Amino acid sequence: MSWQAYVDTSLVGTRNVDKAAIFNSEGTSAWASSTGFHISPAEIKEIISSYSDSSEVKKIQSGGFKIAGEKYMTIKADDKSVYGKKGKEGVVIVKTQQAILVTHYPESVQPGVATNTVEQLGDYLISVGY
């Protein structure tokens, strides 16, 4: 399956997220993206740096982060996942061995449903070496 097919079918196609992008694990290359979901180099760099932040309270947890120009409050930030919320909408970001999945869910979707969709794809990609 192509990276764009993962975005179109396995993420956005579920209707549990409405926008998605897949980057390489360094954040230097966007492999696939939903139309109009533009994540700046500075935004993806901030996410990448959060994965190596070993502080007890990560910088991203105290200050939040931006995705596609929108500011989100950090709900979770660990070695694999970053979750953010803005009102009733949010983002779920999952790091695999070689990729980073960045997704947005609208206020009409329950956060847990969106999280499960993205985490399951992340687990699958890890299981096949990505």
Side-chain angles (χ1 to χ4, degrees):
M1 188 180 283
S2 73
W3 292 112
Q4 191 62 49
Y6 283 119
V7 166
D8 296 340
T9 305
S10 301
L11 294 170
V12 177
T14 66
R15 297 183 183 231
N16 296 334
V17 299
D18 62 351
K19 301 173 201 167
I22 301 176
F23 288 84
N24 68 336
S25 61
E26 295 82 29
T28 56
S29 177
W31 291 346
S33 181
S34 300
T35 303
F37 192 44
H38 302 291
I39 300 166
S40 75
E43 291 170 341
I44 195 68
K45 183 179 178 185
E46 183 177 20
I47 297 301
I48 300 292
S49 68
S50 77
Y51 288 114
S52 59
D53 183 349
S54 59
S55 307
E56 188 170 320
V57 176
K58 296 181 178 208
K59 180 182 174 191
I60 199 170
Q61 290 172 305
S62 59
F65 60 96
K66 285 187 175 183
I67 292 293
E70 297 290 329
K71 178 88 172 189
Y72 293 89
M73 179 179 68
T74 306
I75 303 299
K76 174 183 177 177
D78 62 24
D79 294 342
K80 181 184 175 202
S81 306
V82 175
Y83 302 167
K85 196 123 167 88
K86 184 185 91 170
K88 293 183 178 181
E89 63 185 76
V91 291
V92 178
I93 303 166
V94 175
K95 183 179 186 297
T96 70
Q97 294 165 4
Q98 297 182 39
I100 296 183
L101 312 175
V102 182
T103 65
H104 173 273
Y105 61 89
E107 44 183 80
S108 61
V109 173
Q110 291 294 318
V113 173
T115 299
N116 286 340
T117 298
V118 183
E119 291 283 1
Q120 285 175 1
L121 179 57
D123 290 344
Y124 168 74
L125 291 173
I126 290 169
S127 77
V128 296
Y130 280 98

